Amino acid sequence: MELQNAVKEALNALYHHPDDSVRIRADRWLQDFQRTIDAWQVADNLLHDPSSNMESLIFCSQTLRSKVQRDFEELPSEAFRLLQESLYKLLKKFSKGPPKVRTQISIAISALAVHVSKEDWGNNGIINWIKQEMNTFPEHIASFLELLTVLPQEAFSHKIAARPERRRQFEKELISSVEIALNLLAACVRFEELKEQVLEAFGSWLRLSKGIPASTLASHPLVHEALHALKSEQLLEPAVNVVSELIHFTASRNTGGLSAQIPLIHVLVPHVMDLMEQLRDTSKGDEDIKAIARLFADMGIHICFSGSNESMLIVRALLEVASHQEYDISSMTYNFWHHLQVNLTKSDSYSSFGSEALAEAEKNRRIQAFCPAFEHLVSLIISRVQYPENHQELSKEDLKDFKHSRYAASDVLTDATAVLGAEAVLKIVFLKFMQAVPSCRKNVCEWQPVEASLYCMQAVAKSVPVLEGEMMPQLPHQPQLLQTVCSTIGAYSKWLNALPSVLPSLVDVLTRGMSSSEESAASASVAFKYICEDCRGQLSGSLDGLFHIYHIAISGEGGFKLSTDDSMQLVIALSALISVLPTEHAKKAVELLCLPAVAPLEKVTHEAGGSLEQILARHLTVHIDRLACIFRNVNLPEVVADTIHRLWPIFKAIFDRRAWDMRTMESLCRACKYALRTSGRYMVVTIGAMLEEVQVLYPQHNQPCFLYLSSEVIKIFGSDPSCASYLRSLIEALFGHTTKILTSIQEFTARPDLADDCYLLASRCIRYCPDLFVPSSIFASLIECSMVGATIQHRDACKSILTFLSDVFDLANSPAGVKYRPIIDSVVLSRGATLTRILIASMAGALPPSRLEEVTYVLLALTRAYGAKVLGWAKESVALIPAAVLTEAECSRFLETLSEAAAAGSNIAALTETLEELSEVCRRNRMVQEIIQGALRPLDLTFAAVSS
């Protein structure tokens, strides 16, 4: 009683107390209470208590539903019958409402039925039980219909903590009872007040009705009732849901193919087509129109790919839906147009026609049949992407939604292009553009139609072949159009390479765009990058003028409205032009390109008084990042190597005096990384000094970026014998220091970036310099350290650790790794049992399900390398798990699959399937997960690094 009162008080505080902090504490207390064993009895008592208010009823029904779904195993086996009886009493008690409570009780009963076999339930399963009880207690029929509605839905619910095998069995039990369920519903449908519930339940059961012949459904009274209900305002929504399920039924691969569905299709199509009048009815509400539009879209997706007269009627209906002024309604057809495009253009759609010639002829026939529809669709999309007249009055959120709707519409244009061809679509868009341009030149400029046409030109640009200039429009210069004009120039950069005479005027347009607004500046800078990349041969003679634009933009003196990110586009643009210059010219050009970044860095590194130490990081990184962009995009290895060698004194000063600053170090290491990637071994002159900085500074400041910079060095120089001595010293120093830091899972969790970069570097060492790495003194320490951190929750760090382990085992099992096998064996064999236990614990819940693929591969790689030994280690691990949470059969299946993987050497699919199912069993609820993790103890491991 005391707990019941506490729950009532907490609910009262949650819903009625004026103090936010009190409400938060009450909510937290109630959530904690729901996890307790006492929640069963308290929730049950309050639901049976006639004095309980609505808040208590809703909370307790949700609590009881959740407990049955997730925590059923908390109860002793003898409690099932008492729980079943109590839930049934509650179902009858709330037969007339409240609906929310009745639904929660229905879900709880459905979940209980999933947990227990039909023999334990009684009456040969829950459907026969419902049939009997409906006959005995007809006054509670509303509750039984609710239960019939949620049962098929819960068959597929993973919220219920049932074993996968039991869930599959329950689905089979329901499928075998479909006929009984439909007969019960058919008996109820004659009562007007029950029709809505009956249709909702019928829609649920159709998902389990794949075994019923379409001809039987075509004449079924429930189907005819649903089709008749399409004309009813009150029943439209449940009727649409039923008919939508029937349409999906006709498309199911398990229902005998299209020919077997003809009887049902012939019944459905006329009734759906009769809804056209309702679709045009302006008095209909948006929700009703959406429901009808969904039916047309579903029918189109699953039925009308043949190009027959009937299918064209559906397509015309969908064009009407697509023309609806409300985006939420018109966009309901977008998925249909994509499916239609895919089915028209992919070869698989015509495989049944035998010869290639017949298939090609049928493909051409269908495409020709649908071409007029797609041409009409293109015109509709042009109007759909048009800015509204009141666009300036739109809120920030509404404007964002409008832009998203344009992106979706442009995808439809892409589909139309795949069917009609890019030239045909471009001609339609170009015609609309030319029609709209005169209105844009009036005193009162109607710019929206022009902008919409330009936007659509962009959308299809990637598909447009290089043409002559007959469709190169005179681009208007109105301020409202400038952003889209600039984007359109960028989209046609490859096309413009064939029209060199227009490039100077287009560069002028882009320059104007950079100074007009922030939005147009962003579009102009990207377009500038594209035309420099794709027209570099035409623009290389204009380098002086382009550099002039760059220096004005970077200096901020020309009124340009470029952000830092936008200015990077200019850097990339000029880097592309420089990459085609002769070496000597390129060196001078790179020097000019670097100058706006080098000058301020040079100044601050030479100033006295500690200004380099005191300056804000962003005032350094903006310049360093610009240099990184140059190093990344100037595709001239010798030139970049020469540049970074010249700039090394500046870089060294920043390394030495800002090594404590993570943001600056990350920027600087990124610049060095890109220089390395571009220059490769040409950078050998500078690399020694760079790595000396890393080796000295890393132990002092623990910056993870020093590790990823070293990874890049290993990738390029790892196999170079002349660097072996120095690289061995480097990796032993870096790994030696890192393993002294990462000694427990808590340290890994506190420093995920360090763990991530450490094991990325370790994997690089395995791939590029195993001769240095595997025999080193640090190899065993890294293996042991990885076992400590393998269960880190940070995604990237965890993946890096698991990848490192699989790389080690793959090396041991490869022909190239034979010479390392004794060393790897000496490290792994003594730790194999613990490592296997950690991997099984990771699969069983120590890591999130998203890591299961990586864990599976590590276990497979270990099994491939060590065969029967891994099987023995796995047996030891699963033996630790109590039989109450993992059955002998489940353990045996896992071990058998692991044994098969060891024997076959490559059976990853079977192992993955088994581990996925075993993982689901082990994670089925919190109690089971805690028991398993407590038995396997993956977090108990710590690592004590040995000082060198």
Side-chain angles (χ1 to χ4, degrees):
M1 197 65 182
E2 186 179 337
L3 256 180
Q4 288 176 212
N5 290 333
V7 169
K8 290 179 181 179
E9 289 172 11
L11 285 167
N12 187 59
L14 177 65
Y15 289 106
H16 304 293
H17 203 284
D19 189 336
D20 284 348
S21 63
V22 173
R23 291 201 300 273
I24 290 169
R25 285 200 301 274
D27 184 44
R28 193 176 296 125
W29 186 90
L30 288 166
Q31 288 183 42
D32 292 340
F33 162 75
Q34 286 180 310
R35 298 188 187 100
T36 66
I37 191 79
D38 293 321
W40 288 100
Q41 192 63 60
V42 172
D44 187 68
N45 289 347
L46 287 173
L47 285 166
H48 285 284
D49 186 347
S51 66
S52 292
N53 62 16
M54 181 64 73
E55 291 157 359
S56 296
L57 292 176
I58 291 175
F59 172 77
C60 291
S61 63
Q62 290 172 338
T63 300
L64 202 53
R65 180 263 304 158
S66 177
K67 297 296 283 184
V68 176
Q69 285 180 324
R70 305 301 305 170
D71 300 327
F72 180 65
E73 289 181 83
E74 286 181 345
L75 298 176
S77 57
E78 61 270 16
F80 157 66
R81 195 63 64 189
L82 293 172
L83 178 61
Q84 183 191 38
E85 291 171 2
S86 177
L87 287 170
Y88 183 35
K89 287 177 184 176
L90 292 171
L91 186 69
K92 290 190 286 187
K93 175 183 176 180
F94 297 113
S95 180
K96 300 192 185 305
K100 288 182 180 179
V101 176
R102 187 179 66 199
T103 299
Q104 296 301 309
I105 299 301
S106 298
I107 295 172
I109 293 175
S110 300
L112 188 62
V114 177
H115 283 299
V116 300
S117 66
K118 67 177 184 179
E119 291 78 19
D120 287 340
W121 188 273
N123 300 92
N124 200 27
I126 189 169
I127 301 302
N128 281 302
W129 175 80
I130 291 173
K131 178 183 177 182
Q132 179 180 312
E133 298 303 312
M134 282 178 79
N135 292 329
T136 308
F137 301 101
E139 68 273 22
H140 300 305
I141 198 165
S143 284
F144 294 122
L145 285 173
E146 178 102 39
L147 187 53
L148 279 171
T149 301
V150 301
L151 264 169
Q153 297 166 1
E154 294 305 295
F156 305 102
S157 172
H158 282 261
K159 291 180 180 178
I160 301 172
R163 286 177 157 86
E165 184 56 43
R166 173 56 200 155
R167 191 178 288 113
R168 288 191 290 268
Q169 185 59 41
F170 182 69
E171 185 182 339
K172 289 177 183 175
E173 290 169 12
L174 291 189
I175 289 171
S176 68
S177 304
V178 166
E179 188 176 347
I180 299 170
L182 296 190
N183 288 339
L184 289 173
L185 295 175
C188 297
V189 80
R190 66 180 184 272
F191 300 105
E192 197 66 34
E193 68 276 13
L194 297 176
K195 281 186 177 180
E196 185 172 356
Q197 271 194 289
V198 169
L199 291 175
E200 287 174 354
F202 182 38
S204 290
W205 279 92
L206 280 171
R207 296 169 200 169
L208 296 169
S209 302
K210 299 297 185 281
I212 300 177
S215 56
T216 301
L217 279 177
S219 58
H220 200 284
L222 288 171
V223 172
H224 286 278
E225 192 63 46
L227 293 171
H228 179 72
L230 290 173
K231 299 174 182 175
S232 164
E233 288 189 17
Q234 182 183 354
L235 299 175
L236 179 62
E237 185 178 350
V240 164
N241 289 336
V242 169
V243 177
S244 179
E245 288 294 340
L246 288 167
I247 291 169
H248 285 276
F249 177 94
T250 64
S252 171
R253 293 180 180 179
N254 302 322
T255 52
L258 184 62
S259 59
Q261 310 312 311
I262 294 299
L264 183 55
I265 291 172
H266 282 169
V267 170
L268 295 177
V269 172
H271 283 85
V272 176
M273 294 307 299
D274 284 346
L275 295 172
M276 280 301 302
E277 289 305 314
Q278 292 191 53
L279 190 66
R280 297 169 184 146
D281 186 349
T282 55
S283 67
K284 283 282 183 187
D286 282 355
E287 292 307 311
D288 287 346
I289 297 296
K290 284 180 185 178
I292 295 168
R294 176 159 69 90
L295 267 192
F296 281 116
D298 282 347
M299 192 163 64
I301 286 173
H302 295 298
I303 294 175
C304 68
F305 296 131
S306 65
S308 64
N309 291 335
E310 293 81 1
S311 66
M312 297 314 296
L313 288 174
I314 298 171
V315 169
R316 281 194 282 276
L318 285 162
L319 282 170
E320 286 206 36
V321 177
S323 66
H324 197 281
Q325 60 183 359
E326 291 294 328
Y327 168 75
D328 288 346
I329 294 172
S330 65
S331 63
M332 295 177 77
T333 68
Y334 289 1
N335 200 32
F336 161 74
W337 302 115
H338 176 68
H339 276 270
L340 179 58
Q341 175 269 123
V342 169
N343 275 273
L344 289 174
T345 57
K346 72 175 183 180
S347 301
D348 292 352
S349 302
Y350 307 96
S351 56
S352 61
F353 286 87
S355 73
E356 190 175 325
L358 287 174
E360 189 63 26
E362 178 61 18
K363 179 179 179 181
N364 291 335
R365 185 194 71 78
R366 291 189 189 182
I367 287 176
Q368 287 303 312
F370 286 104
C371 271
F374 275 100
E375 288 168 356
H376 187 186
L377 181 65
V378 171
S379 297
L380 291 175
I381 292 298
I382 296 171
S383 62
R384 173 62 56 198
V385 302
Q386 187 171 311
Y387 269 92
E389 293 291 336
N390 66 337
H391 74 282
Q392 291 179 320
E393 299 169 16
L394 295 177
S395 67
K396 189 175 181 181
E397 202 58 38
D398 287 342
L399 190 59
K400 183 179 177 182
D401 289 344
F402 171 69
K403 289 182 178 179
H404 277 297
S405 75
R406 286 178 28 127
Y407 299 148
S410 68
D411 288 339
V412 180
L413 274 182
T414 303
D415 290 322
T417 302
V419 175
L420 300 171
E423 294 175 48
V425 172
L426 190 58
K427 283 178 181 176
I428 296 170
V429 176
F430 186 73
L431 181 61
K432 292 281 186 181
F433 172 80
M434 295 305 292
Q435 290 169 350
V437 165
S439 299
C440 196
R441 291 174 180 156
K442 294 177 181 177
N443 292 334
V444 180
C445 175
E446 295 177 19
W447 59 269
Q448 288 92 339
V450 176
E451 194 278 339
S453 298
L454 287 170
Y455 182 84
C456 292
M457 286 183 190
Q458 283 179 58
V460 300
K462 288 184 179 177
S463 304
V464 176
V466 177
L467 302 173
E468 297 300 324
E470 75 270 9
M471 281 199 298
M472 182 64 205
Q474 291 295 313
L475 296 171
H477 297 163
Q478 281 73 10
Q480 302 97 322
L481 298 173
L482 203 48
Q483 180 183 356
T484 308
V485 166
C486 291
S487 296
T488 306
I489 291 170
Y492 283 88
S493 55
K494 288 185 171 64
W495 199 57
L496 293 168
N497 189 42
L499 302 167
S501 60
V502 305
L503 289 175
S505 62
L506 295 181
V507 171
D508 289 342
V509 173
L510 298 180
T511 307
R512 193 158 53 250
M514 291 179 203
S515 57
S516 178
S517 68
E518 290 180 2
E519 291 78 12
S520 64
S523 297
S525 63
V526 173
F528 190 82
K529 177 190 75 171
Y530 286 146
I531 65 167
C532 286
E533 286 178 336
D534 294 325
C535 310
R536 64 183 75 183
Q538 311 291 350
L539 290 171
S540 57
S542 308
L543 205 53
D544 290 345
L546 298 176
F547 261 108
H548 180 66
I549 295 170
Y550 167 69
H551 283 286
I552 291 175
I554 298 301
S555 68
E557 296 171 359
F560 286 3
K561 294 179 169 59
L562 295 166
S563 68
T564 301
D565 287 342
D566 297 336
S567 69
M568 288 296 187
Q569 304 296 332
L570 305 190
V571 173
I572 297 170
L574 291 173
S575 297
L577 294 178
I578 291 170
S579 296
V580 298
L581 296 177
T583 301
E584 286 308 311
H585 290 173
K587 284 183 179 180
K588 293 175 184 176
V590 168
E591 193 171 336
L592 280 174
L593 191 58
C594 292
L595 186 60
V598 171
L601 291 176
E602 198 166 31
K603 180 182 178 184
V604 76
T605 54
H606 285 92
E607 282 180 354
S611 60
L612 179 57
E613 289 81 356
Q614 295 166 7
I615 192 171
L616 292 175
R618 67 174 180 272
H619 293 154
L620 291 171
T621 58
V622 67
H623 304 301
I624 299 170
D625 288 346
R626 193 164 289 139
L627 293 174
C629 188
I630 295 167
F631 298 155
R632 185 181 190 181
N633 291 286
V634 173
N635 191 22
L636 296 168
E638 291 182 73
V639 173
V640 172
D642 179 70
T643 302
I644 196 169
H645 182 65
R646 181 169 48 82
L647 299 179
W648 177 248
I650 297 173
F651 279 31
K652 185 179 187 310
I654 299 172
F655 267 124
D656 289 342
R657 294 161 60 185
R658 295 284 294 205
W660 48 269
D661 174 12
M662 178 177 285
R663 184 173 172 184
T664 301
M665 287 301 100
E666 285 181 345
S667 177
L668 194 60
C669 287
R670 187 161 49 247
C672 293
K673 175 183 75 173
Y674 287 132
L676 267 165
R677 285 187 180 175
T678 300
S679 302
R681 299 197 178 194
Y682 285 105
M683 207 168 139
V684 69
V685 178
T686 315
I687 200 66
M690 185 184 296
L691 293 183
E692 188 177 334
E693 290 291 312
V694 168
Q695 193 164 339
V696 170
L697 295 173
Y698 177 65
Q700 298 173 32
H701 301 283
N702 302 328
Q703 298 286 12
C705 55
F706 291 150
L707 296 175
Y708 82 61
L709 176 56
S710 300
S711 294
E712 206 63 38
V713 173
I714 292 295
K715 182 178 177 181
I716 294 166
F717 293 98
S719 58
D720 188 340
S722 65
C723 301
S725 176
Y726 190 79
L727 291 180
R728 184 183 293 108
S729 171
L730 174 73
I731 61 177
E732 289 188 355
L734 297 179
F735 288 135
H737 180 70
T738 307
T739 54
K740 289 175 185 174
I741 298 172
L742 302 175
T743 57
S744 66
I745 189 62
Q746 291 79 14
E747 287 293 343
F748 272 88
T749 302
R751 302 168 182 267
D753 291 346
L754 198 70
D756 181 20
D757 289 321
C758 170
Y759 282 97
L760 282 173
L761 174 59
S763 282
R764 283 274 173 91
C765 289
I766 289 174
R767 293 168 197 167
Y768 294 101
C769 56
D771 286 343
L772 303 180
F773 178 60
V774 177
S776 71
S777 59
I778 204 65
F779 178 68
S781 297
L782 272 172
I783 295 284
E784 193 156 336
C785 190
S786 71
M787 292 161 60
V788 174
T791 54
I792 185 173
Q793 300 302 297
H794 187 277
R795 183 188 63 180
D796 293 337
C798 181
K799 289 181 80 168
S800 294
I801 293 167
L802 295 174
T803 300
F804 163 72
L805 287 170
S806 61
D807 285 345
V808 170
F809 305 141
D810 283 342
L811 180 65
N813 199 44
S814 69
V818 171
K819 59 183 175 180
Y820 312 115
R821 186 67 187 242
I823 300 172
I824 296 173
D825 286 354
S826 69
V827 175
V828 173
L829 291 176
S830 59
R831 298 169 175 84
T834 304
L835 178 57
T836 305
R837 173 169 58 81
I838 291 168
L839 292 172
I840 292 174
S842 299
M843 171 271 300
L847 287 175
S850 55
R851 297 281 76 75
L852 189 58
E853 184 179 346
E854 288 84 5
V855 173
T856 300
Y857 187 76
V858 176
L859 191 56
L860 181 66
L862 182 64
T863 305
R864 285 171 174 169
Y866 292 101
K869 289 186 176 65
V870 179
L871 198 60
W873 297 332
K875 283 180 181 176
E876 293 172 13
S877 295
V878 296
L880 299 171
I881 302 173
V885 295
L886 201 62
T887 65
E888 186 178 340
E890 288 162 342
C891 293
S892 296
R893 187 183 174 207
F894 164 62
L895 294 170
E896 285 170 13
T897 308
L898 197 61
S899 177
E900 289 167 7
S906 59
N907 196 3
I908 190 167
L911 184 61
T912 300
E913 183 183 339
T914 301
L915 286 187
E916 283 176 354
E917 188 154 307
L918 188 64
S919 177
E920 187 181 340
V921 170
C922 294
R923 299 170 193 266
R924 64 186 183 272
N925 61 40
R926 183 170 40 85
M927 181 189 76
V928 167
Q929 204 161 332
E930 287 173 356
I931 290 171
I932 291 174
Q933 295 304 308
L936 296 176
R937 308 181 320 281
L939 303 180
D940 285 358
L941 207 60
T942 57
F943 171 63
V946 179
S947 299
S948 53

